[in-house]
Amino acid sequence: MTQIILDDMTAPSKTNVHSIADRGGHDKRNPGMEFDPDLFGKIRINRSAVERRAATIGTRRTVKKTWQAAWLLRAVTCIDLTTLAGDDTPGRVRRLCQKAMRPVRADILDALGVADLGITTAAVCVYHNLIETAVDELKGSGIPVAAVSTGFPAGQIPLKLKLAQISESVSAGATEIDIVISRGRVLTGDWKGLFDEVKSFRKACGDAHLKTILATGELGTLSNVAKASWVCMMAGADFIKTSTGKESVNATLPYSLVMVRAIRDFQELTGYRIGYKPAGGISKAKDALNYLFLIKEELGKQWIDPALFRFGASSLLGDIERQLEHHVTGSYSAQHRHPAG
Amino acid sequence: MEVRDLFESLEYGPAPESPDEAKKWLQDRDNTLDHFIAGQWTVPQSGEYFPSHNPANGDLLAVVADGDEADVNRAVAAAADALEGWVAMGGHGRARYLYAMARHLQKNSRLFTVMESLDNGKPVRESRDIDIPLVARHFYHHAGWAQLMQEQMPGFRPIGVVGQIIPWNFPLLMLAWKVAPALAMGNTVVLKPAEYTSATAALFADMCREIGLPRGVFNLVLGDRKAGEALTQHPEIGKLAFTGSTEVGRILRKATAGTGKKLTLELGGKSPFIAFEDSDLDSVVEGLVDAIWFNQGQVCCAGSRLLVQESVAERLHEKIRKRMDTLVLGDPLDKGIDIGALVDPVQLKNIRSLVDRGVEEGGQLWQPDGPLPEKGSYYPPTLITGVQPSASLAQEEIFGPVLVSMTFRTPSEAVALANNSRYGLAASIWTENINLALDIAPKLKAGSVWINCSNVFDAAAGFGGYRESGFGREGGKEGLYEYVKPFWESRLSKEPVQQLPRFAPVDPEPGHEAPAIDRTAKLYIGGRQVRPDGGYSNAAFDSTGCVIAEIPAGNRKDIRNAVEAARAAESWTSATAHNRAQVLYYIAENLAARDAEFRGRIRSLSGKDEAGAQAELDLCIRRIYHYAAMCDKYDGRIHATPFRNVTLAMKEPLGVIGIVAPEEAGLLGFISTVMPAISMGNRVVVVPSEHYALLATDFYQVLDTSDLPGGVVNIVTGDQDVLAEVLAKHYDLEGMWYWGNRSGSRMVEREAAATMKRTWVNYGLYHDWEDNEQGQSLSFLRKATEIKNIWIPYGE
């Protein structure tokens, strides 16, 4: 197969003085920056054009056979395995944590020749009350516990309670905090207020990583999504995340395109790499691959890494497991053949 | 490759689409493609075949019948035989066949997809997601037009046998664009595909056989230029439709000149892609991928000329370069590639030499690194910045994946640069400001204007060019008119209907009293009465042969001055339709106010009696009223294209039209030809009837008192044959209407080839100017306008 992949080039082009290969990147954590509305105030996103590009992500790129299996395994390692329900109990969370530690059946991993890679999901994501259970269950696995916070999912509680919740969650052992932004500040154009709020969240997090949930489905326009992304990154977000999973529209490729382009511009400006987390509604292996293609195309391969990319998902893993088994056996799989999480 | 390695490298890996089914189809035919004539596979009479290769690897794909005149004759005869039955079948019957074609295409879409990529080298993603779905859509849409023809196209009939010559860049899609409307409107077809790409046309022919299309309705003659020439020259072809290079288009314009064959030409382009500073730059970059890195840039309407506002140029260029790094080039049958193979090594050579020249002229070249496949015709995506409008790269069509970029400062400079081209096929405008977008779109000389998108097509919207990009529209209701003729055209007379008076010149009686004060007729240019450049005059005779005045003998310089004046009178085109209507009504009012004078002149020149003169004047006034009324009523449509956008089909005046008025028809002929043109916003240079020139020169006094801006109507009297040729050869006219004789008609069409101006000639046949169909039908307005489709996606 004569195929040339024109990206991932390390040598500077002979004809290009602005080589992108040597553009600096910090591996350090984003410290945030001064609020500067000039950097995002004029952003206008063309929805139709974004949707057109998003629609061809999955038609321009595909992975088959061994490549597909490898990409799906990579997807597994990027999952924040999530349960966020009113009826979550310690028993439910322990089961989920066990699944996070052994997301794919051992015989399948053996057959794929990757049993020694120590494949786990990226994190387990729970409500505050379940943090301690999760931390306990995951002890020794190296898998972090993420907690949703700040009055998730609507965020309609006083700021001091939000900050208190973050502190409590961090104390309880969460090393990643998924906060929700105040959508009202976006919708009323109070960008400085949003910046101050997120900055205070970042401070409250301390060493815990901050993921800012924009609730894109409630921001009205893609331009607002882009602006909110910028404000959160300026305020020191480690990740920007689409949704709580509770909005009527959650993660989509168009939202993702807008957000990862903001991430790319932010990195070009500051050198800091911000992570991206689409969440809600991603339940099929094929969908997951499309997100990974989008990330590779728009941000580059180095972003497909749990340090910089997560899926917020609960049922995605099950579909990936079935696809992996199909790859190994050649027969289509069934849900009951894979351990419940 | 092991999973563990790929887990780290995250390469995409190969994703080949199997060529087996397509190859099997060819093998079942011994890898030999024959003509399809009268429903039968037909071997070429000469017995000659030529090879056709897969451009991705140079492998022989098939041998192709090398058609010539003998084969074309058979095909045209078959089409002629089939015509009566096809017409008699009626719209509903034809709709059923077109519907069957659409269904059949969909049911076998993968076979068509793979065959197209094998033959042409385009990425299988594009064949699968763009070409073939658009083909099916075209047949569905036109099945509808077949069904609706009787109701929606009253007064029109099929042309007959149409010849169609299509290019290699979208082989099946161009077939669909040509064949679907032709068949829907009741014509039968002889189609010649490009010599590089015959396979999907043969597959389509096979499909016609399978669905039981009546024999001879669709005929396929394969071959190269020989077959094309034979088709062009065949006397039984009533219409020729061509898509391809401007060079060949010019040859066809000349070859068909004066024959009465209807012609549509869809030719080259150097389409501007305008990025304003407030645009969504990341989306602009993707728009460019769609514009120039689609089909390897082998797209007539490719957005190949990037005009970027200086304030964001550096930033945009950097984003484009980064995006180019991620374009994947490779085997067209791989589902994960963006850029496939060029159609032929010849094309590769052309692109290389044009790019080399561009770099010599100072353009800065940027291409992503990485080796190209060793076999096959591949050229990397290319950006050339710092290109000046004077550079050959900015003017000449490259037809490859090469984007040239230049900057502008203001919206008006963007328009000026965009229109600084001989071509006018398409344009793309990127801005988030609707005021700006809708201000710029009408100002661009382009048949398709895409706002915040690029290279979008649909069967419901017309596509076609201005200037040297050709004429005619394909798609939409506007495209149907290219495949029909009005019934009234077949009623045109071989002899003049209105008669010129017959006389022998007689000398005036020597006078006994002081003569009437000598009135001097002049030329009327730019709203002023001017003396002819040459200083000569011709005698004007009344109907009895007496000299009653002298008429200026205009020459080529007067025509030049008149065209310049018309060019300058742009304000008429930008005036509102309501304003134009008011002026036209006022013209009618002022003509009526001088009715005695005009009646007298008509009587004197024509020999009509008082009642006859009154009738002509009344009809003139009615006709002016008619066009005044039409000013703001002959308006555009909004096409129902299948995605979230508004597609405005805007009727635009051609610009400056040269009119050679019918000699025999006096004031009525003058009014009937000039008024429809100016009512739509055109400016005209009119050469009036020689015998009735005094009516035209009298009439400018009416124009002078009617608030018509200077330069909108320019009147150059003189020898019609001589002046017609000057007009026909003039590069700065958008259109030319001619009601003279046969040879003059041929001359006008032949000379129009230089700039592809729109022509309307009478081929020596005569209108009955008193008849409302022949003298004031909608055809006049259709000829006075061109349709621009403006695509406006929306959604915040």
Side-chain angles (χ1 to χ4, degrees), chain A:
Chain A
M1 185 58 51
T2 47
Q3 172 167 319
I4 298 162
I5 294 172
L6 295 173
D7 71 345
D8 297 340
M9 282 181 293
T10 48
S13 161
K14 291 184 205 76
T15 49
N16 178 18
V17 290
H18 309 284
S19 168
I20 59 158
D22 58 358
R23 191 176 285 124
H26 299 258
D27 288 325
K28 286 191 300 242
R29 200 177 166 195
N30 171 30
M33 59 192 287
E34 290 297 304
F35 179 71
D36 182 357
D38 288 348
L39 290 176
F40 64 88
K42 287 184 181 165
I43 288 178
R44 294 292 303 275
I45 303 294
N46 189 281
R47 177 178 157 201
S48 297
V50 164
E51 288 175 349
R52 266 198 310 280
R53 165 64 170 154
T56 60
I57 292 282
T59 61
R60 284 181 180 272
R61 296 291 180 267
T62 185
V63 284
K64 303 289 182 195
K65 301 196 164 85
T66 315
W67 285 265
Q68 188 179 81
W71 280 70
L72 289 176
L73 277 177
R74 190 71 169 244
V76 169
T77 66
C78 293
I79 293 175
D80 280 0
L81 200 60
T82 302
T83 185
L84 295 169
D87 58 1
D88 286 342
T89 58
R92 159 84 186 112
V93 168
R94 287 183 195 282
R95 198 171 75 196
L96 193 75
C97 291
Q98 287 297 325
K99 187 68 181 171
M101 291 187 279
R102 283 181 294 280
V104 180
R105 241 169 49 208
D107 61 306
I108 295 175
L109 294 178
D110 270 338
L112 294 171
V114 293
D116 60 330
L117 288 184
I119 286 178
T120 68
T121 68
V124 166
C125 182
V126 294
Y127 272 119
H128 174 83
N129 285 352
L130 286 309
I131 295 172
E132 285 174 6
T133 308
V135 168
D136 180 53
E137 194 69 20
L138 291 169
K139 200 174 292 167
S141 71
I143 300 175
V145 173
V148 296
S149 193
T150 64
F152 180 97
Q156 299 284 24
I157 60 170
L159 179 61
K160 68 176 183 185
L161 294 186
K162 293 182 182 180
L163 295 172
Q165 192 182 9
I166 292 173
S167 303
E168 293 265 325
S169 293
V170 171
S171 303
T175 54
E176 300 180 3
I177 303 294
D178 290 24
I179 65 96
V180 290
I181 66 165
S182 299
R183 281 74 115 182
R185 294 196 189 276
V186 174
L187 297 174
T188 58
D190 179 13
W191 300 111
K192 181 65 165 63
L194 177 64
F195 174 85
D196 291 341
E197 191 179 86
V198 174
K199 197 170 174 185
S200 68
F201 295 160
R202 167 66 194 266
K203 191 158 173 249
C205 279
D207 288 338
H209 277 217
L210 173 68
K211 304 195 198 105
T212 56
I213 302 172
L214 306 185
T216 49
E218 292 179 351
L219 299 188
T221 66
L222 290 179
S223 298
N224 275 349
V225 170
K227 290 174 183 177
S229 299
W230 267 94
V231 171
C232 288
M233 292 187 289
M234 279 180 184
D238 296 296
F239 265 73
I240 52 176
K241 174 176 170 183
T242 57
S243 324
T244 63
K246 313 289 187 190
E247 291 88 53
S248 57
V249 181
N250 292 292
T252 66
L253 287 173
Y255 287 141
S256 300
L257 202 47
V258 169
M259 291 171 73
V260 303
R261 284 171 174 174
I263 288 172
R264 184 171 64 198
D265 286 346
F266 188 82
Q267 193 240 338
E268 281 178 14
L269 182 75
T270 66
Y272 290 103
R273 294 195 176 105
I274 307 301
Y276 178 64
K277 179 176 174 183
I282 305 166
S283 58
K284 297 290 178 207
K286 176 76 181 119
D287 297 338
L289 289 175
N290 286 342
Y291 279 94
L292 296 184
F293 298 156
L294 182 145
I295 298 299
K296 176 163 169 167
E297 294 295 309
E298 296 282 330
L299 291 175
K301 189 193 83 176
Q302 72 272 25
W303 243 276
I304 307 181
D305 184 291
L308 289 169
F309 181 77
R310 302 285 179 83
F311 288 111
S314 47
S315 60
L316 171 63
L317 179 58
D319 195 51
I320 293 180
E321 288 175 86
R322 288 194 289 278
Q323 301 308 321
L324 288 173
E325 184 174 36
H326 172 237
H327 178 74
V328 168
T329 64
S331 299
Y332 291 107
S333 183
Q335 189 181 354
H336 66 264
R337 295 173 56 80
H338 304 279

